[in-house]
Structures are given as C-alpha cells and as structure tokens.
Amino acid sequence: MIGASLPSRASCAPDAMVSADTAWLEGPGKLVWRAEPMRKPAPDQIAYETIASVISPGTELAAWRGARPLRAGDAYPRVQGYCNVAKALAVGERVEGIKPGDRVLTLQSHRSHFACLEREVFLTLDPDMDAAKVATSYLFHLGYNAVLRSGVRAGHRVAVIGLGVLGLTSVAMAAMAGAEVYAVSDHQGPRTIAQESYGARGAYSRRDHQGLMRALGPGADIVILSTNGWEDFQLALTLAGQNAVIACLGFPGRDTEPGAFNPLGADPFYTKQLRIEAVGFSPLENDARGFARFNLRDNLGFIARSITSGALDPAPILSGVYPARNLEQAYADLAARKDGAITYWLDWTA
C-alpha cells in the first residue's frame, strides 16, 4: 500500500498497521512484489516510508539476468537495490537523533516502508536537498572509493574503462580530485557525458585504444576498471604505466573463463610492477581515534553536500523516472539501453 502512513510516536499501536510493498527477485527475470506487514517500531527503531530509490544497474541487472553469483549460497530469492531516501513516520522512544518527518539516506532495498535502527541511517537530509538526487550518493561513493583506495592525486593520469553508472561516477570523482581523466566506452552518449558533464579530458572507443595510448603518454597511473570482461582487463594491463594501480570496481571473469590469457602473466604484471586491487568496500564509519576518516558515512555526507552545492550533478546519469511498481519495465529498458539510458530513479510517492 504505497503512500500509507504509520501513526506518530505517541499513537503507535502494537498491531500491524501498513503493508510494505517489497520487490523480490525469485529467479532470473522473475520479479515479484510481496506485501510484508509492518508493526510499530521497536524502542530503538524508526519506521519509514520511501520517497525515492535509484537503480544500481550493474548489480541489479546482473541478478535479473541470472549472472554468476559473486558469493557462495543461494542466489535467489533476493531483494533488489540499495539507494534509498525515505521519510521518518514513527520513532521509538530510545531514538534521539531522528524525529518524524526527517528525510534520510539508507542502504535499504526497493520497498515502500521499512523499519531500521538509527545507526543504519547514513545521512539526515537538509531541507534543501533533493531526494532523488541524493539517492544517487552511494553510486558516486563507489567511484569516490575507487579514487581514494587507488591513491588518485591532482595531476595523475587516470583511465576509466566502461562508462555505465560506476564508470561515469568514477570519472566525476577522479576529475574532482584533480586527475587528468580519460574514459573508454564504445557508446557515444556516455563518452559525451564523461567529457561534457564530468570533466574527462578525452573519451575513446575501444577501437581507438592507440589514440588513448598516445594521450596517456607513458601510460595511466591509475586504471579504474568498471566492467567484467577479460578483454577489458587486458586493456587495463595495456593502458597501465610503470608502477600503476588497476582498481577493480567490476568483477573480471564473472561470466567467462580467461581461456589462454594469463591475467597475472609476467609481462606486463611483473614487468610493470602493477598493483591490482578490489575497491568496492570502505569502512562504515570513523573509529574512536579518527583513523578511518574516509568512511562510508562521512563520504556520503560529502557527496550529498557536493550534489546540493552543484559541484556534482546526478542529472546526466538519471535518464528518467518510473513509478516504483514499474521496476520490471525499468529493468527491461535499461537492459535494452533504451534511448541510451544510464539508470532511472523510482518515485514512491505516486
């Protein structure tokens, strides 16, 4: 029952009060909506209704298509999504930092309502923050984390391979860090976005990797790989300069074996003294002594403020909006690259 409300803290009753519509994937291409009863929040919980969520195409379409699972265990059924902005409806008596009406950023899946602990909220939105735009913050964070983990500095030559959502957000964050960014995609639309909206110095198709090599000179200091194919991993090895870093946001070899190709062959891996690193995770929050300064919570706050100030613009990656219950159609249109779509946001207020 999208849009239904829970009573305030003072009037919450113990019985189930609203049905939370939740998107579940029961198998490849089998998206269903489950009505999950919600009760009043526990003393340390907050009950929310979702305002907007954003599709993370790499993760969600891979599951929707039935790609090889990344972890052991059952791949289905599974919830989908993790970019959620919601409004607080009812607050448990032990909650101190959130009040009814507050809008928050969480990593909840595509669902109309949910309850969670205060520590599971990563940001309380300021009144001037746009919910749909701020819901993209985690997508920009993945690019930001690639920049942080690979040590991008002003003046570094950075090559970004693949210009889906994470490739484009990596371009944006590397350019913000002062790097000379060069992007690789076979699609003109994303190449244009990389250059005109996100600060790439050049954008090339894979067929023109020789032109890219000339632009990079001695090679890239950092290569951010946002795709899964072995051919792109080989391209990353080619583009990387001496002592370079290959930062993997994608999952090389997820659906194919390398064949005769040795990803860690002596030339160029050993000869160039490359460092290859997975860069998807960051600390959840700072520690008591401040040694985890660049953590998910603080990074998301920085990104949301950058979006609100205009330093980061999510508009180029938000190709449109769908009513939340049209999620399956949104997946189909993204899979077909309809009108060059990058991703969509879902409106839960209709």
Side-chain angles (χ1 to χ4, degrees), residues 13-58:
D15 299 325
M17 293 169 291
V18 67
S19 177
D21 287 354
T22 304
W24 283 84
L25 197 61
E26 295 189 337
K30 297 179 181 178
L31 186 75
V32 299
W33 290 90
R34 297 184 186 176
E36 300 175 343
M38 277 190 58
R39 299 180 181 276
K40 75 170 185 178
D44 56 352
Q45 286 186 322
I46 309 101
Y48 294 98
E49 65 177 352
T50 299
I51 301 169
S53 60
V54 174
I55 296 170
S56 178

Side-chain angles (χ1 to χ4, degrees), residues 112-196:
S112 65
H113 297 80
F114 60 92
C116 70
L117 300 173
E118 188 171 2
R119 66 172 180 267
E120 296 176 273
V121 170
F122 285 90
L123 175 73
T124 300
L125 276 65
D126 294 333
D128 59 342
M129 288 180 169
D130 182 281
K133 291 181 177 180
V134 170
T136 67
S137 294
Y138 190 78
L139 301 178
F140 280 97
H141 176 265
L142 288 167
Y144 186 38
N145 199 49
V147 166
L148 294 172
R149 292 276 299 275
S150 60
V152 172
R153 299 179 183 178
H156 266 154
R157 294 179 299 273
V158 176
V160 178
I161 299 176
L163 294 179
V165 166
L166 299 191
L168 287 169
T169 59
S170 296
V171 169
M173 302 312 298
M176 181 180 282
E180 297 179 4
V181 185
Y182 299 88
V184 180
S185 172
D186 291 338
H187 300 281
Q188 181 60 53
R191 292 203 302 267
T192 300
I193 293 172
Q195 287 189 273
E196 295 184 0

Side-chain angles (χ1 to χ4, degrees), residues 5 30 40 95 327:
S5 298
K30 297 179 181 178
K40 75 170 185 178
V95 175
L327 176 59

Side-chain angles (χ1 to χ4, degrees), residues 238-285:
T238 301
L239 298 179
Q242 194 70 24
N243 301 307
V245 176
I246 297 177
C248 295
L249 276 175
F251 305 99
R254 178 172 186 175
D255 291 311
T256 59
E257 300 300 328
F261 166 58
N262 180 359
L264 300 180
D267 188 12
F269 174 62
Y270 182 82
T271 302
K272 291 184 178 180
Q273 291 291 286
L274 302 178
R275 192 177 97 222
I276 301 170
E277 184 175 0
V279 292
F281 292 160
S282 64
L284 284 176
E285 55 194 3

Side-chain angles (χ1 to χ4, degrees), residues 308-328:
T308 303
S309 72
L312 278 177
D313 184 8
I317 64 172
L318 291 175
S319 304
V321 55
Y322 281 75
R325 289 300 292 260
N326 288 8
L327 176 59
E328 189 166 16

